[in-house]
Amino acid sequence: MSAVDPRVAAWTEAELGVEGRVLDVLTAPAPVLSGVGERVDPTSAEVVRLAADLVATMRVSPGCVGLAAPQVGVGAQVFCVDVSEHPKTREHHGTFVLCNAEVVSSSRNERAREGCMSVPDLTGDVKRAGRITVRGQLPGTGEEVEVSTSAFEARALQHEIDHCQGLLFLDRVAGAHAIYARKTYL
């Protein structure tokens, strides 16, 4: 397993140079949630603004550890993640945003419960890789980075990449028996 990527771990939204706005989070069955997001130019002003907005919206949303562009109504391959405060977190890179991200390697499938702001009343058991490497670009600079991580951060990255590909966690559960009413409402 690779060590924490120092460039990603050092990234902060201050690099974007724009103040993020808090946006409304869409819920299923909003059509944008089931569409494949467009690849983006990570250096464009619109993508930099979107990155800042995603982080601002994630920060004010209780229990939120990631947010993808489709969840705020934008069909683009951009998402933010920050699992640093979550009790299930082992290793993490802090807050970061990736554009055009894809999983380049994965191993150790594990099943765990997931929830989503876009599906607020349900959780589900989802099988995902426990160790992954994701390649993407940082907003603003367009630098290509690779994030190798495991456990909860790996799950969060896969969940957000799925959003960018038009998938919800409900698309990945084994069946109705693996879907549950959310016990704690956010």
Side-chain angles (χ1 to χ4, degrees):
M1 190 80 213
S2 301
V4 169
D5 181 298
R7 176 61 184 112
V8 177
W11 187 90
T12 70
E13 61 266 31
E15 289 184 36
L16 299 171
V18 61
E19 193 71 27
R21 304 164 297 184
V22 175
L23 304 176
D24 291 334
V25 176
L26 301 178
T27 56
V32 70
L33 294 172
S34 59
V36 175
E38 298 289 326
R39 290 184 61 82
V40 299
D41 172 358
T43 64
S44 76
E46 296 82 15
V47 170
V48 169
R49 160 61 72 191
L50 175 60
D53 293 347
L54 287 170
V55 172
T57 304
M58 176 180 67
R59 291 211 189 286
V60 301
S61 304
C64 183
V65 297
L67 193 64
Q71 293 181 274
V72 296
V74 180
Q77 293 186 30
V78 182
F79 66 83
C80 65
V81 167
D82 183 357
V83 301
S84 61
E85 301 297 318
H86 196 279
K88 291 183 181 174
T89 298
R90 292 187 206 150
E91 63 181 337
H92 66 84
H93 288 78
T95 303
F96 61 96
V97 178
L98 289 179
C99 303
N100 307 317
E102 60 186 355
V103 176
V104 293
S105 69
S106 63
S107 63
R108 284 198 180 166
N109 282 341
E110 301 168 353
R111 187 177 315 280
R113 187 75 50 94
E114 289 186 22
C116 181
M117 290 179 59
S118 293
V119 187
D121 298 330
L122 302 172
T123 62
D125 292 334
V126 180
K127 192 175 192 179
R128 296 201 189 267
R131 291 182 178 221
I132 63 168
T133 298
V134 171
R135 182 179 301 132
Q137 296 167 290
L138 295 176
T141 64
E143 290 170 78
E144 188 170 284
V145 293
E146 282 196 358
V147 177
S148 292
T149 191
S150 65
F152 192 69
E153 189 175 57
R155 180 167 294 278
L157 282 168
Q158 291 167 88
H159 181 107
E160 300 311 327
I161 289 170
D162 272 0
H163 274 302
C164 293
Q165 297 301 317
L167 298 171
L168 295 173
F169 76 88
L170 293 174
D171 297 313
R172 298 235 184 242
V173 296
H177 66 280
I179 299 172
Y180 309 91
R182 185 185 290 273
K183 292 183 179 155
T184 304
Y185 293 89
L186 300 177

